[in-house]
Amino acid sequence: MWLNPEEVLLKNALKLWVTERSNDFFLLQRRRGHGEPSSRISGLLVGALDTVLDSNARVTPFRILLQVPGSQISWVIASGAAIEEVNKHWDWLLHNLLHSLSVFENKEDVASFVKGKVKGLIAEEVRGRQAAQEDDPGKFREGLQKFELHFGLPSSEKLVTYYSCCCWKGRVPRQGFLYLSINHMAFYSFLLGKEVKFVIPWAEVTRLERVSTGLMTEAIRVSTRQRQREFSMFLNIDETFGVIGQLADIALRRLLDSGGLELDRVLQQPARITKRILEEQAIREYVLALFRLPRSERLYEVASCSMWTPHSRCHTAGTLYTTDGYLCFSSREEGSCTLLIPLSEVLSIEKAESTSLVPNPVIVSVRTKKAFQLIELQDRDELVENMNSRLRSLQWKQSMFRSKKDSKRRLSSPAPYYTFYYDTGYSDEEEIEEQVLRNTVNSEALMTAFHQNQPDSNGSKGMDRVKERLWDDHFSEFGRGVHMFRTEKIQRLVAMGIPESLRGELWMTLSDASSDLDSHQGYYSSMVQKSMGHSSLATEEIERDLHRSLPDHPAFQNPTGIAALRRVLTAYAHRNPKIGYCQSMNILASVLLLYAKEEEAFWLLVAVCERMLPDYFNRRVIGAQVDQSVFEELIRERLHELAEHIPDLSTLSSVSLSWFLTLFLSVLPFQSAVYVVDSFFFHGIKAIFQLGLAVLDANTAQLCASTDDGQALMILTSFLEQVGSEEASCVPSSPPAEETSCINPVLQTDITDLINDSYMKFGDLTVRQIERLRCRHRIRVLQAHEDTIKENALRLVSTDVSISPENLSDLYDLFKTEHFISLYWGDTSSAAAAEAAAWCYSDTGRSFLERQYRLDRPQFKSLYGLLVPWPSSSNQHMDTLANRTFTLLDKDHNNLVTFKEFASWLDTLYCEDLNDKIRLLYHLHIPPALTELEDDPSLIKSPLVSTNRPLYVSQSSGADAGNEGEVKDYQEQLKQMLQDLAKEKKKDVEKPLPLMNQLEFIQFCKTLYSLFTGDQEENDLFQAIAKVTSLVLQIGEASHRRPSSGSEVTEQEPVKANVAKGGSMSAEDNWTVSYAQILASLLTEQALVNFFEKTVDLSAKITEARETQYQQRAGLLTLQHRTS
């Protein structure tokens, strides 16, 4: 294969290579030891060396070198594992390049030409591989070439797909092409001699909508913080809108919250994203949400088929989805019939004889001696082989796990469960009781020991017995366990409330937490033991919330319940430190412990936090906020009257946040709230959306009549508090102080009726709709977080700078864009470092504070060149100043600059007076900004001041008397300045600046010369700085000589600058000047004062920087990739 040219200093180093073919410019070499008799010692040695080397360090046995006649340097341009592969490349070089190279007179041009050609071949291969993945490779290759030509982005900016469409500007449509890449969307149009093109980064997209107006049938509106763009005339607007939403969602999750939001491994590598990958990912997200599968599951096959459903006595048409560990079936009508079969439960997958009535049947047998029949499967043979391959792999892993577990069991005794021990001042008896609890495992649900119901609650027990019989009938018809058929009938049973005796089992079944429990035997006990004794922020928060979890329930007024809750929460925090512990987890875990065994409660909590409520419990609760935004849109779509009367739905969504986070447990009476949890485990988050809409629908009239937010809150609170159940109507939630009758004087809404009402009115809401809405609304939520972060950053900085709020906001955007550019096109290591630098933690490193953008040295140098008000004529000198500025601003010495430090630097340059600007320049020429390892040695080796003349500027007049008078004037100025400096020193007593030696002052002068080059007043500035330079050198010499001679400088003894060559000076150790002396000298020249006090328009500079930032950085990064 072709390789990026890599230098080889010795063409035959250590005699490891043998030349097979050669000419004036190319060598084909074979690795010694390959393809030769094994009896040769050299071949054996090289072969042994290659065998010992790690696979990443091994070299291919054949290679082609580019050599330039007369040069000792060669370049590896191709390699291969087989001689046939390398011979093809060799023949191509002979037929296409060799004859052309003879015309070059300069042999160095030969190397540049060949290396460029090879890189072009590599790029062409990459395009070819990318195009081959598309449905129409030729058409995609043409679009890719146009994309690269029109926009000039780096080659790493991968094009995903493109569409023909119209972009509307007012009432005028522009026909062109919309290009969608991994980081940007770009539009190009060229009609009637007019070109229109623009690029929108996904990171700037704040909203995606489908709109319809009178002028266009339907359009996609893309909103940023600056403007809106509308695109229409798509061939398939549904597909286009879906791809745009996916790419924006993926980019924002990767760029704005890579550490918090879960993102598939494939999508974490942008270079691998294609249109086909996006389509597969959309189906995968839907399947994971529909069946609530673990996020790590990979989707393999999607096949249309029919399944025999015994309860309906027929085959039900639907779709089969296969993943790493599951076979999933869903009927064509979502929710009508679903089936989940864990592969761990499967015994065999076999093909049966095909007939006209049962075409292409497949039989899946499970451990419960049941079998499921699938028919009408396309590509049945390949599908069955793939499923059996995964089944065999899983069974082998299970057998290995069991053998290891059995061996460990023989060597060690069973370990008890543990809990944390906290010194809380127990008495001896209490301490003994606590010790017992620490070694006790709760093998039963807490409700069995701490039952709330009264002994005489015959009505409740009778109701439970009726429910149990109904469920037994259901089990006999639809099956029992995780692979039972889930239909609308079970939905009605769940709405009635699951009986207490079956609640824990069915929760485990419906959530498939039972599979996790079976495949991780002993995992919970190990997590408890590992977490024992560890103290962290999570454990501190858990301890604080333990007694706030269902405080009215007897189970959590007892040390047994508290100890179990502590174990579950701390074990989960140890299992998943990314989540750790989040408020409301204690309430969920408490309810789970009431109806499930302790270990089962742990796995139920895992299922809820990691599968059923993804991203709900991360550091910024993004998932819950996304669902609140989705809930607002559902209110607008389905509750029109309420949306019209309350345009701002943020109040309602703020109230409903606790509904989603706690599954209504914090707002409903306990017995009613458990019914909601039952529905949640059956339907997932869809149940909470439906119930929330039903609650608002039931109170629409009162909410529309409410006058303020407080009244609306009271309406919803009072309604939810009186939602009861058949059990609660006769049974109080806690043991009463005195006897009461089973009479409920308050008119209540029955929870079963409310749940059934939500099914009837909003049952058409599907998981697919929710997932699509989440994708769009996640963009809004993440961008809202970015706006908050920006507001906080500007508020923090604005009090310390004089830059206008508008300019400060624009500077923040430039600063943030520079960070994103490194993520777009930087190499993997630099992108990872940039993203890691964007998160700020507390001093202890345990608690997350907020996202804070910071720039490293290359990023800062890029912005320096765009925003500095005095661009240097020398790129090398500007680079040196940028490096020193970064070192000066990096006060934390972590090689990162914050926005506050960046804004303070620009404020000095654009808004402060001459004194502060000179002070900044002074700081740049003394340590720590000026380091010993200065990159530009010419600053020291080439002093600006002559070493053989007096340090004063001679004037044009030729009279000696005039010269003497001028010297006298300078001596008078010197005396006056020394007096002024004494006053200045008094002002700077608090923060005295270090003195500057002669070498540092020479560099300071060179910087000023560089700043003045190209200015309109260049000549006057050069003459002024020459005068100031001579004057300061005289001051420095006078300060050096005065202590030894005790006399002032006079005209008879002009001061000489004794600067030794080679960077060392005989008098350097004592020659110094202060900042005040330099400032006073500069103030004597009006030209210099005018230059530094000249106002520079920061707004114009920002506008120019915004226009050139992308192209400049894209060019630099492209150049870096080509030279690397």
Side-chain angles (χ1 to χ4, degrees):
M1 62 179 176
W2 298 108
L3 303 174
N4 275 319
E6 183 178 350
E7 283 190 4
V8 179
L9 296 179
L10 298 176
K11 292 180 287 185
N12 205 13
L14 301 178
K15 302 296 183 180
L16 297 178
W17 295 89
V18 178
T19 300
E20 297 283 333
R21 304 170 68 178
S22 65
N23 54 47
D24 291 341
F25 297 99
F26 302 106
L27 295 175
L28 192 157
Q29 294 185 331
R30 171 179 53 82
R31 185 76 165 175
R32 191 177 295 279
H34 292 271
E36 62 183 22
S38 59
S39 58
R40 295 187 180 181
I41 296 178
S42 60
L44 291 173
L45 290 175
V46 176
L49 177 64
D50 290 345
T51 303
V52 171
L53 287 176
D54 181 74
S55 60
N56 295 326
R58 293 175 190 170
V59 294
T60 53
F62 300 96
R63 71 180 185 180
I64 297 176
L65 298 183
L66 165 66
Q67 62 175 357
V68 176
S71 174
Q72 294 297 317
I73 299 177
S74 298
W75 292 267
V76 181
I77 59 174
S79 67
I83 187 63
E84 294 80 11
E85 179 185 1
V86 180
N87 278 335
K88 290 181 180 179
H89 291 340
W90 180 266
D91 294 338
W92 189 91
L93 292 171
L94 294 183
H95 290 97
N96 295 280
L97 283 187
L98 189 59
H99 298 293
S100 303
L101 300 182
S102 59
V103 302
F104 286 92
E105 295 181 0
N106 186 349
K107 300 305 180 183
E108 293 181 358
D109 294 340
V110 172
S112 300
F113 176 76
V114 175
K115 287 191 286 185
K117 197 71 177 175
V118 170
K119 290 180 180 179
L121 290 172
I122 295 173
E124 192 66 22
E125 284 183 353
V126 172
R127 292 193 191 98
R129 288 196 297 269
Q130 184 178 350
Q133 299 175 358
E134 304 299 327
D135 297 332
D136 190 344
K139 185 178 179 182
F140 184 83
R141 184 189 295 266
E142 180 183 351
L144 180 60
Q145 291 174 345
K146 290 181 179 179
F147 174 70
E148 294 175 348
L149 175 66
H150 295 324
F151 303 102
L153 298 176
S155 58
S156 56
E157 182 63 26
K158 185 172 188 271
L159 179 67
V160 176
T161 188
Y162 67 99
Y163 299 96
S164 174
C165 67
C166 285
C167 178
W168 291 79
K169 187 176 182 180
R171 295 174 175 265
V172 180
R174 298 286 303 184
Q175 179 65 37
F177 286 92
L178 181 65
Y179 297 89
L180 306 178
S181 68
I182 54 177
N183 297 308
H184 303 83
M185 65 182 302
F187 179 80
Y188 182 84
S189 172
F190 187 83
L191 289 175
L192 303 176
K194 186 175 181 181
E195 182 184 59
V196 174
K197 69 176 180 179
F198 54 83
V199 176
I200 304 175
W202 295 123
E204 294 183 7
V205 173
T206 58
R207 185 182 292 262
L208 293 174
E209 301 170 283
R210 290 177 67 166
V211 296
S212 180
T213 64
L215 295 175
M216 43 191 149
T217 54
E218 193 170 19
I220 297 174
R221 176 180 294 164
V222 180
S223 302
T224 65
R225 293 179 177 85
Q226 287 76 35
R227 63 177 305 170
Q228 293 178 343
R229 302 275 189 181
E230 291 178 349
F231 305 91
S232 65
M233 304 296 183
F234 291 100
L235 185 62
N236 187 340
I237 192 170
D238 292 329
E239 175 192 310
T240 307
F241 188 67
V243 172
I244 291 176
Q246 276 186 281
L247 286 172
D249 176 49
I250 292 168
L252 289 177
R253 282 198 279 178
R254 177 170 52 86
L255 297 172
L256 300 185
D257 202 354
S258 61
L261 295 175
E262 294 292 338
L263 195 61
D264 189 62
R265 285 173 293 180
V266 175
L267 303 180
Q268 292 174 1
Q269 305 172 19
R272 297 180 58 185
I273 296 177
T274 63
K275 184 180 176 183
R276 187 175 302 170
I277 291 290
L278 292 178
E279 293 171 351
E280 294 172 356
Q281 188 65 20
I283 299 174
R284 175 182 175 272
E285 291 288 341
Y286 168 68
V287 172
L288 294 184
L290 179 62
F291 297 96
R292 278 93 69 188
L293 301 181
R295 307 296 296 176
S296 58
E297 286 292 305
R298 290 173 294 179
L299 181 66
Y300 288 102
E301 291 94 11
V302 179
S304 296
C305 66
S306 294
M307 174 170 281
W308 176 257
T309 49
H311 55 274
S312 59
R313 302 292 189 273
C314 67
H315 284 92
T316 301
T319 306
L320 174 70
Y321 306 95
T322 68
T323 69
D324 290 303
Y326 294 89
L327 303 179
C328 312
F329 175 82
S330 175
S331 58
R332 289 178 180 174
E333 182 183 354
E334 182 183 297
S336 176
C337 178
T338 58
L339 178 68
L340 182 67
I341 308 176
L343 276 182
S344 58
E345 295 289 318
V346 174
L347 291 175
S348 65
I349 303 174
E350 300 172 319
K351 294 178 288 185
E353 184 179 355
S354 181
T355 65
S356 59
L357 295 178
V358 186
N360 296 332
V362 172
I363 307 299
V364 180
S365 303
V366 297
R367 299 183 187 279
T368 55
K369 298 181 180 181
K370 291 186 178 181
F372 301 91
Q373 184 189 69
L374 299 165
I375 64 171
E376 299 176 346
L377 282 164
Q378 299 294 325
D379 301 323
R380 180 183 67 162
D381 295 344
E382 182 181 358
L383 177 63
V384 171
E385 177 60 31
N386 291 338
M387 290 192 295
N388 272 318
S389 175
R390 290 193 292 276
L391 178 61
R392 288 191 296 270
S393 176
L394 180 64
Q395 289 173 343
W396 179 82
K397 291 179 181 177
Q398 287 177 335
S399 64
M400 294 295 294
F401 176 77
R402 290 193 191 98
S403 62
K404 289 182 178 179
K405 182 181 175 183
D406 292 340
S407 63
K408 288 182 179 179
R409 188 175 296 170
R410 287 192 296 269
L411 294 173
S412 60
S413 60
Y417 290 102
Y418 292 95
T419 188
F420 292 103
Y421 176 70
Y422 294 89
D423 184 9
T424 53
Y426 289 127
S427 64
D428 292 341
E429 293 181 359
E430 291 174 331
E431 187 171 347
I432 293 173
E433 182 182 356
E434 178 68 13
Q435 292 283 351
V436 172
L437 284 175
R438 276 187 283 146
N439 296 287
T440 302
V441 54
N442 289 340
S443 58
E444 298 294 335
L446 293 179
M447 189 63 80
T448 59
F450 302 96
H451 205 286
Q452 285 185 306
N453 294 344
Q454 296 300 304
D456 58 347
S457 58
N458 296 324
S460 175
K461 291 181 179 180
M463 182 63 66
D464 264 5
R465 283 194 291 269
V466 171
K467 293 179 182 178
E468 288 170 3
R469 286 197 296 271
L470 292 174
W471 277 99
D472 288 338
D473 295 341
H474 182 273
F475 291 148
S476 62
E477 184 178 1
F478 293 88
R480 187 166 188 167
V482 68
H483 40 66
M484 71 176 171
F485 288 97
R486 307 178 190 190
T487 63
E488 293 180 354
K489 183 177 179 180
I490 194 174
Q491 172 180 296
R492 294 192 292 272
L493 288 176
V494 169
M496 294 169 58
I498 300 175
E500 287 187 3
S501 59
L502 296 175
R503 184 163 275 148
E505 175 193 342
L506 285 171
W507 283 359
M508 293 288 290
T509 297
L510 297 174
S511 65
D512 192 38
S514 56
S515 296
D516 289 333
L517 174 61
D518 292 340
S519 59
H520 294 83
Q521 291 294 328
Y523 178 86
Y524 174 64
S525 60
S526 66
M527 283 294 102
V528 172
Q529 292 181 29
K530 289 177 182 178
S531 62
M532 184 176 63
H534 286 274
S535 179
S536 64
L537 180 65
T539 58
E540 293 172 5
E541 292 177 344
I542 289 170
E543 282 300 308
R544 187 169 58 247
D545 289 347
L546 282 177
H547 296 277
R548 304 176 186 172
S549 309
L550 302 184
D552 296 332
H553 199 286
F556 300 102
Q557 297 170 354
N558 187 285
T560 302
I562 294 296
L565 181 60
R566 179 187 292 120
R567 284 193 293 270
V568 169
L569 292 176
T570 50
Y572 184 79
H574 192 77
R575 163 192 165 86
N576 192 343
K578 181 182 288 188
I579 291 178
Y581 171 77
C582 182
Q583 283 189 349
S584 78
M585 286 174 62
N586 60 319
I587 299 176
L588 292 175
S590 301
V591 176
L592 300 178
L593 282 167
L594 287 175
Y595 297 101
K597 299 175 184 178
E598 186 174 315
E599 188 171 9
E600 292 176 344
F602 171 80
W603 287 111
L604 284 170
L605 185 64
V606 170
V608 171
C609 295
E610 299 177 12
R611 292 194 271 125
M612 305 184 73
L613 296 177
D615 301 326
Y616 260 59
F617 301 101
N618 61 17
R619 55 193 169 197
R620 296 197 288 180
V621 202
I622 295 292
Q625 294 182 56
V626 170
D627 281 351
Q628 294 314 294
S629 185
V630 171
F631 190 54
E632 287 184 27
E633 180 160 336
L634 291 176
I635 294 173
R636 293 188 183 94
E637 289 180 357
R638 296 168 180 265
L639 302 176
H640 303 290
E641 182 182 356
L642 184 62
E644 290 176 1
H645 282 81
I646 308 178
D648 183 11
L649 296 174
S650 58
T651 302
L652 293 181
S653 63
S654 63
V655 172
S656 63
L657 179 61
S658 63
W659 303 354
F660 285 77
L661 279 173
T662 66
L663 308 181
F664 282 89
L665 287 166
S666 62
V667 293
L668 284 174
F670 178 77
Q671 292 292 344
S672 302
V674 176
Y675 281 48
V676 178
V677 179
D678 294 340
S679 296
F680 169 74
F681 277 114
F682 178 66
H683 279 296
I685 194 63
K686 184 174 76 167
I688 308 302
F689 278 113
Q690 292 173 340
L691 187 61
L693 291 171
V695 169
L696 295 180
D697 181 60
N699 294 274
T700 296
Q702 296 182 59
L703 290 173
C704 291
S706 62
T707 57
D708 54 41
D709 297 343
Q711 187 177 357
L713 175 61
M714 290 299 299
I715 291 170
L716 293 175
T717 301
S718 60
F719 174 82
L720 291 171
E721 286 177 348
Q722 56 86 34
V723 173
S725 65
E726 294 181 5
E727 298 174 15
S729 62
C730 292
V731 181
S733 60
S734 58
E738 56 186 26
E739 294 185 1
T740 57
S741 62
C742 295
I743 301 174
N744 186 7
V746 181
L747 181 62
Q748 289 188 337
T749 299
D750 187 74
I751 184 62
T752 299
D753 294 338
L754 188 62
I755 293 174
N756 285 327
D757 190 50
S758 71
Y759 290 158
M760 292 177 57
K761 293 183 177 179
F762 310 105
D764 58 333
L765 180 64
T766 64
V767 173
R768 193 182 299 275
Q769 292 173 343
I770 292 174
E771 287 304 303
R772 289 175 177 171
L773 289 172
R774 279 176 165 177
C775 182
R776 284 169 42 204
H777 286 270
R778 193 180 293 111
I779 297 171
R780 302 183 190 179
V781 171
L782 287 174
Q783 292 290 20
H785 272 271
E786 286 297 297
D787 291 339
T788 302
I789 292 170
K790 179 179 179 179
E791 291 172 4
N792 293 337
L794 296 183
R795 189 182 303 113
L796 181 66
V797 174
S798 60
T799 57
D800 298 331
V801 299
S802 302
I803 301 175
S804 66
E806 296 78 12
N807 286 341
L808 197 61
S809 175
D810 292 339
L811 285 174
Y812 182 89
D813 293 338
L814 284 174
F815 194 85
K816 176 179 170 182
T817 300
E818 193 63 35
H819 165 81
F820 283 148
I821 288 175
S822 293
L823 297 182
Y824 295 157
W825 306 316
D827 56 41
T828 306
S829 59
S830 63
E835 181 60 14
W839 295 102
C840 182
Y841 293 83
S842 66
D843 295 337
T844 60
R846 297 194 303 172
S847 61
F848 163 75
L849 292 182
E850 64 176 5
R851 189 173 179 85
Q852 182 186 75
Y853 295 108
R854 294 178 285 185
L855 301 186
D856 59 17
R857 191 178 297 268
Q859 295 167 334
F860 174 79
K861 286 164 67 174
S862 173
L863 280 185
Y864 181 95
L866 293 172
L867 294 172
V868 68
W870 312 306
S872 174
S873 59
S874 168
N875 290 333
Q876 183 180 9
H877 194 69
M878 178 180 285
D879 186 73
T880 301
L881 285 180
N883 273 315
R884 292 182 191 167
T885 305
F886 181 86
T887 303
L888 182 66
L889 296 180
D890 180 20
K891 297 177 181 178
D892 295 331
H893 305 292
N894 57 359
N895 291 320
L896 295 170
V897 168
T898 65
F899 177 69
K900 183 175 183 180
E901 294 163 343
F902 177 78
S904 176
W905 165 67
L906 283 177
D907 182 63
T908 301
L909 294 181
Y910 283 92
C911 302
E912 299 297 338
D913 57 16
L914 179 145
N915 291 11
D916 293 306
K917 295 176 184 177
I918 301 301
R919 180 187 291 269
L920 174 61
L921 289 174
Y922 185 90
H923 272 293
L924 295 178
H925 294 83
I926 58 175
L930 181 66
T931 62
E932 295 181 359
L933 301 176
E934 183 62 71
D935 294 334
D936 187 3
S938 62
L939 297 177
I940 297 178
K941 294 182 180 179
S942 304
L944 297 177
V945 186
S946 173
T947 61
N948 57 8
R949 65 177 177 84
L951 293 180
Y952 57 82
V953 180
S954 59
Q955 302 298 315
S956 58
S957 60
D960 294 340
N963 291 340
E964 293 176 359
E966 194 66 32
V967 172
K968 290 181 180 179
D969 292 340
Y970 274 96
Q971 302 306 325
E972 292 298 327
Q973 292 178 13
L974 177 60
K975 295 176 183 178
Q976 184 62 39
M977 280 186 289
L978 290 174
Q979 296 174 2
D980 295 337
L981 293 177
K983 301 177 182 179
E984 188 70 23
K985 286 181 179 178
K986 294 179 182 179
K987 298 179 182 179
D988 295 336
V989 170
E990 296 181 2
K991 291 185 67 176
L993 291 175
L995 298 177
M996 181 181 285
N997 63 38
Q998 194 169 15
L999 280 177
E1000 294 165 353
F1001 176 68
I1002 290 171
Q1003 296 184 48
F1004 179 84
C1005 294
K1006 183 170 182 178
T1007 296
L1008 294 180
Y1009 269 90
S1010 178
L1011 298 182
F1012 300 154
T1013 303
D1015 192 270
Q1016 296 178 352
E1017 307 295 332
E1018 178 180 301
N1019 293 332
D1020 294 341
L1021 290 169
F1022 282 164
Q1023 188 175 19
I1025 194 57
K1027 291 180 181 179
V1028 170
T1029 302
S1030 291
L1031 185 59
V1032 174
L1033 285 169
Q1034 289 182 58
I1035 294 173
E1037 192 67 22
S1039 300
H1040 167 54
R1041 293 193 176 191
R1042 184 178 301 108
S1044 59
S1045 62
S1047 61
E1048 296 182 359
V1049 179
T1050 62
E1051 61 196 60
Q1052 288 82 8
E1053 186 182 0
V1055 180
K1056 304 273 186 165
N1058 185 13
V1059 181
K1061 294 182 179 180
S1064 62
M1065 290 182 258
S1066 59
E1068 180 191 356
D1069 293 339
N1070 296 317
W1071 192 102
T1072 57
V1073 291
S1074 68
Y1075 159 73
Q1077 291 170 328
I1078 293 177
L1079 177 62
S1081 302
L1082 290 171
L1083 291 174
T1084 62
E1085 294 296 330
Q1086 190 61 40
L1088 298 177
V1089 174
N1090 293 340
F1091 176 83
F1092 284 108
E1093 290 187 344
K1094 180 170 57 178
T1095 303
V1096 181
D1097 188 358
L1098 179 57
S1099 300
K1101 202 72 175 177
I1102 292 173
T1103 302
E1104 181 183 353
R1106 190 186 297 117
E1107 293 173 354
T1108 59
Q1109 183 181 27
Y1110 250 57
Q1111 298 302 323
Q1112 173 181 302
R1113 286 285 278 155
L1116 287 174
L1117 288 167
T1118 302
L1119 182 63
Q1120 291 174 7
H1121 291 158
R1122 288 176 179 173
T1123 56
S1124 59

